Amino acid sequence: MNVTVYLGASFGNDEKFKVAIEELGTFIGKRGDTLIYGGSKSGLMGVLADSVLAAGGPVIGVEPQMFIDQEFQHDGITELIVTSNMSERKAKMIELGDAFIAFPGGTGTLEEITEIMSLISLKLLDAPCILYNLDGYYDGLKELLRTMISCDLSSKERQKGIYFVNNTSEIEELLQ
């Protein structure tokens, strides 16, 4: 299975992010799944890639040329796909993915996972969309989705396939 993970290229301000992403990477690698991610060596992205590789799993990075020019790419991964821009990167990551996980991240992570949510809602993508809700990180988004339903602007049926999980064990249950 190709598991696309969206996350930040910084470390954040809490050690729990690093611990949780190492656990997720080890899980992906030990399963023999392929990690699809943004291709960076920086921050949590680098930790994720390194943990998948250390657990024996392959890693495919998808990175736009502008980040290659800044030398953000992870040179130790299995494969690096270079795109011309961020839109092409997003499309390639979606094309390659069988399951999609958003780890806590910034606005780029949010933009990427909301595109997955939209594709699932429109039934244009049949894959799990998993928000890793570490310590309630995505509680606000979860509440917004509930509000959309209560205002009849979305429905439970349209949001079927979007999951909020608290740990790697819950991700494991969804990916079986």
Side-chain angles (χ1 to χ4, degrees):
M1 175 181 287
N2 287 349
V3 181
T4 299
V5 179
Y6 303 110
L7 72 166
S10 62
F11 287 105
N13 63 5
D14 194 322
E15 183 68 18
K16 70 183 170 201
F17 296 127
K18 184 177 182 232
V19 170
I21 204 62
E22 284 176 338
E23 183 179 295
L24 178 61
T26 300
F27 162 75
I28 292 168
K30 284 186 175 178
R31 279 177 44 109
D33 291 337
T34 299
L35 170 66
I36 309 297
Y37 87 117
S40 180
K41 64 184 175 187
S42 304
L44 295 173
M45 283 183 149
V47 172
L48 174 62
D50 289 342
S51 62
V52 172
L53 292 166
V59 175
I60 298 174
V62 184
E63 189 132 46
Q65 184 63 49
M66 67 183 192
F67 291 147
I68 302 293
D69 294 344
Q70 297 173 46
E71 298 183 4
F72 289 135
Q73 77 275 3
H74 191 309
D75 292 323
I77 60 177
T78 311
E79 180 182 353
L80 180 65
I81 298 170
V82 181
T83 63
S84 59
N85 56 48
M86 293 294 281
S87 295
E88 189 179 308
R89 174 201 210 180
K90 283 192 324 173
K92 181 54 98 174
M93 291 175 74
I94 293 168
E95 174 190 323
L96 295 173
D98 298 311
F100 300 86
I101 300 172
F103 193 78
T107 54
T109 301
L110 181 61
E111 188 235 350
E112 290 165 325
I113 202 62
T114 54
E115 181 167 354
I116 300 301
M117 293 165 70
S118 180
L119 292 171
I120 287 171
S121 175
L122 295 169
K123 308 298 184 219
L124 298 174
L125 182 63
D126 183 19
C129 174
I130 303 167
L131 291 108
Y132 194 138
N133 197 26
L134 183 65
D135 287 346
Y137 189 84
Y138 284 112
D139 280 351
L141 181 56
K142 190 176 191 179
E143 185 57 34
L144 178 59
L145 292 175
R146 283 190 201 122
T147 300
M148 290 174 182
I149 292 170
S150 71
C151 291
D152 278 341
L153 297 171
S154 186
S155 66
K156 287 182 182 180
E157 178 59 31
R158 289 182 70 105
Q159 293 182 19
K160 188 176 181 183
I162 300 170
Y163 306 95
F164 290 82
V165 301
N166 300 305
N167 53 53
T168 301
S169 297
E170 292 177 12
I171 292 170
E172 184 174 6
E173 289 175 25
L174 288 171
L175 297 184
Q176 290 186 24

